[in-house]
Amino acid sequence: MPLNQDAILGVQNPLLQQLLSDHWEDQLRRFPVDASRLGDHRYDALLARTNPEAVAEGYNLQRQFLKRAQSIPAASLNEADQLTQELFVDLLETNLQGEVCHTEQWGLSARNNPLVDIEYLPEVQPISTPQDGENLAARYLAAPTLVADTIASLRSGITAGRTPVADSVHRVSDQLDQWLATPCDQTA
């Protein structure tokens, strides 16, 4: 069963089904490594975009999904679908409340940085076929864009007066130095 079928399992209203399916597809498209981790391999050659424009697009999409969810009349939903709609609306509103934090502009740490994302790829995307290898290689080739996106977001934060904790920046810098000093034949 396709993963989006899990997203609409038990939902009766066709409008709510389509909305949940569209949202799920958007999440998989915008967060392709998560899609791979969940077993959806359509985006195996891609990495998420995290630059300021992509972050803004994500919030705009969340607003569009919220508007669609709120436009479905509760009277057209059975009790279970009403609960699903309420929970979905709550999820979107909660996500949108986080927009003011701009974590993409300062959220850098030893556990949240492009190097960790890149090192995680072999765990989420094992190679069983030549295509798997090509997809993983494409992701590695996209790593400079991931780093550039992170730099763009951090620069945007500096402009806005938001910066990561200095200790976190030093730790990430040390991680990168250690990683770069490791001979290729000693990496995973």
Side-chain angles (χ1 to χ4, degrees):
M1 171 167 41
L3 291 177
N4 69 343
Q5 292 300 309
D6 288 341
I8 63 170
L9 193 63
V11 175
Q12 300 299 310
N13 181 281
L15 289 175
L16 187 57
Q17 282 181 345
Q18 188 62 55
L19 171 62
L20 295 173
S21 179
D22 291 349
H23 180 264
W24 183 252
E25 288 299 318
D26 171 68
Q27 293 297 295
L28 296 176
R29 179 186 60 79
R30 288 190 309 111
F31 303 104
V33 174
D34 289 342
S36 298
R37 183 180 53 78
L38 292 169
D40 187 329
H41 300 288
R42 293 175 294 163
Y43 307 105
D44 278 357
L46 304 175
L47 292 175
R49 294 303 307 267
T50 59
N51 60 30
E53 296 79 15
V55 171
E57 176 194 3
Y59 282 117
N60 286 333
L61 288 166
Q62 295 287 305
R63 279 188 276 282
Q64 291 171 23
F65 286 122
L66 178 60
K67 185 176 180 179
R68 283 176 60 191
Q70 291 171 330
S71 73
I72 299 173
S76 70
L77 304 172
N78 65 28
E79 188 176 335
D81 283 2
Q82 284 179 13
L83 179 59
T84 299
Q85 179 193 37
E86 288 172 22
L87 291 171
F88 186 63
V89 165
D90 184 60
L91 170 73
L92 295 171
E93 288 175 342
T94 300
N95 289 347
L96 287 167
Q97 288 170 359
E99 183 177 18
V100 298
C101 297
H102 297 283
T103 56
E104 75 282 356
Q105 295 180 350
W106 57 267
L108 184 73
S109 72
R111 292 181 58 193
N112 177 28
N113 66 71
L115 179 59
V116 171
D117 296 340
I118 294 163
E119 287 183 328
Y120 177 62
L121 291 176
E123 292 179 39
V124 76
Q125 189 172 350
I127 299 174
S128 302
T129 68
Q131 186 61 54
D132 291 341
E134 290 176 22
N135 289 338
L136 184 57
R139 278 187 165 157
Y140 283 133
L141 290 172
T145 301
L146 179 63
V147 172
D149 282 355
T150 301
I151 291 169
S153 289
L154 292 171
R155 284 186 174 147
S156 179
I158 290 169
T159 300
R162 299 179 189 97
T163 59
V165 175
D167 186 58
S168 291
V169 174
H170 293 297
R171 288 176 191 257
V172 171
S173 178
D174 290 345
Q175 277 181 311
L176 185 57
D177 289 343
Q178 289 173 7
W179 186 75
L180 290 172
T182 305
C184 291
D185 62 351
Q186 295 178 16
T187 60

